[in-house]
DNA sequence: TTTCGATGGCTACAAATGAAACCAGTTTGG
DNA sequence: CCAAACTGGTTTCATTTGTAGCCATCGAAA
């Protein structure tokens, strides 16, 4: 009889790994600032790009509109970002971190980098290369057929 | 100023990839049988191993107890599995797929394998090897320090 | 034994998520 | 010019998830 070995099934392995890593990293921003993942991604996106619209944020960080909307609302409530209406299109808002938001971002960046470094530190150089190539390959394999007919 | 490039941040990349793949694959078991992911994993685990306790299922498929509990309850409601109390320890229940459950499992296995095959089909042999090695390396890097002092 | 800490499994409540509907505002085609 | 289709963003509601606490049972230690 034909069976499936869950432990070596790629979707499962990927998910489990990502879940473990993400859960571990979430401690960093949760413990430090009580952020949720969508909030962290929003902070990160704005810190990186300077100013973005909600839609752009959603695309960059692969989040559903509603996640973005709620994350932005919360960061605004904390006064970590401000919205400035677009001149030409009144539906659009440009989001920018405030001083406080930027401070939080600046504090998070080294922690994030350290986390990633530690994660990779356990691997050999060859292994690091393997992940880089493997992930890139899978990523491009996926995104290319996202656009259906 | 120091910034973090979200798009190349490993935890983010992993999560996004896993999420996309998992979401795509979930269509298979959702469309076919209206299963949730925990339910699918439960089915898969039992199909693979024959008989397991809820705790064992949780460990094998990396699911929280409550997810397991609820998934098992649902599969039992569908009469896809039965519980048999352990002889020695009356807290423990052994879970086994019924004929119906097994039929569903048998139907799913080829679909799962086909999905994985297609996912990998877009990659070169070298790239496939890279993922295999990369994932394995990260996995062992993680599990080894899960056991804190 | 009795008692006390673990363990298997469930449930109740709170928080996070997704789908779909919605509201403005904008574009397009007649 | 105006209706219809579309887009940015929010809200509502149902579903899913996690946390914490519960219950029953078990094992060990007194």
């Amino acid at each position: 009889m034909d069976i499936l070995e869950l432990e070596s099934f790629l979707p499962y392995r990927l998910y489990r790994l990502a879940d473990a890593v993400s859960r571990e990293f979430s401690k960093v921003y949760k413990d430090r600032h009580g952020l949720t993942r969508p909030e962290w991604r929003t902070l990160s996106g704005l810190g990186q790009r300077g100013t973005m619209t909600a839609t752009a944020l959603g695309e960059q960080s692969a989040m559903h509109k509603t996640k973005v909307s709620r994350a932005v609302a919360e960061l605004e409530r904390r006064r970590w970002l401000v919205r400035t209406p677009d001149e030409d299109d009144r539906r659009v808002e440009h989001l920018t971190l405030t001083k406080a938001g930027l401070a939080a971002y600046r504090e998070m960046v080294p922690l994030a980098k350290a986390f990633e470094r530690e994660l990779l530190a356990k691997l050999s150089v060859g292994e690091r290369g393997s992940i880089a190539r493997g992930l890139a390959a899978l990523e491009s394999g996926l995104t290319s057929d996202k656009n259906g007919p």
Side-chain angles (χ1 to χ4, degrees), chain A:
Chain A
M1 172 185 156
D2 202 20
I3 70 155
L4 177 76
E5 209 170 327
L6 191 59
E7 298 91 327
S8 40
F9 185 50
L10 187 57
Y12 169 69
R13 286 180 73 191
L14 271 177
Y15 194 93
R16 179 170 53 149
L17 180 62
D19 193 59
V21 168
S22 179
R23 217 172 271 273
E24 189 64 25
F25 179 58
S26 80
K27 289 183 192 160
V28 177
Y29 49 75
K30 184 169 285 175
D31 287 358
R32 192 69 194 82
H33 291 295
L35 293 175
T36 64
R37 187 169 45 222
E39 285 155 20
W40 149 249
R41 285 196 189 167
T42 300
L43 179 68
S44 171
L46 292 180
Q48 173 185 346
R49 301 267 185 99
T51 288
M52 274 198 278
T53 68
T55 310
L57 255 172
E59 280 162 14
Q60 194 223 2
S61 56
M63 294 192 292
H64 190 95
K65 321 159 69 168
T66 63
K67 277 190 189 171
V68 176
S69 173
R70 295 190 257 244
V72 166
E74 169 60 20
L75 295 191
E76 181 186 34
R77 202 192 57 69
R78 294 186 183 215
R79 310 209 184 286
W80 280 14
L81 64 75
V82 291
R83 313 176 190 238
T84 43
D86 184 277
E87 291 289 303
D88 304 329
D89 188 337
R90 282 190 292 166
R91 291 168 305 179
V92 177
E93 301 174 320
H94 299 274
L95 308 166
T96 320
L97 293 184
T98 60
K99 266 208 157 34
L102 208 49
Y105 176 70
R106 288 220 186 87
E107 191 189 334
M108 285 297 307
V109 169
L111 300 181
K113 289 190 174 174
F115 180 89
E116 186 179 42
R117 203 177 312 122
E118 280 176 37
L119 198 60
L120 292 170
K122 296 159 190 157
L123 314 191
S124 72
V125 176
E127 288 167 338
R128 284 200 278 277
S130 289
I131 315 191
R133 280 190 304 279
L135 285 186
L138 275 178
E139 280 165 357
S140 72
L142 269 196
T143 53
S144 64
D145 68 345
K146 265 249 169 98
N147 358 322

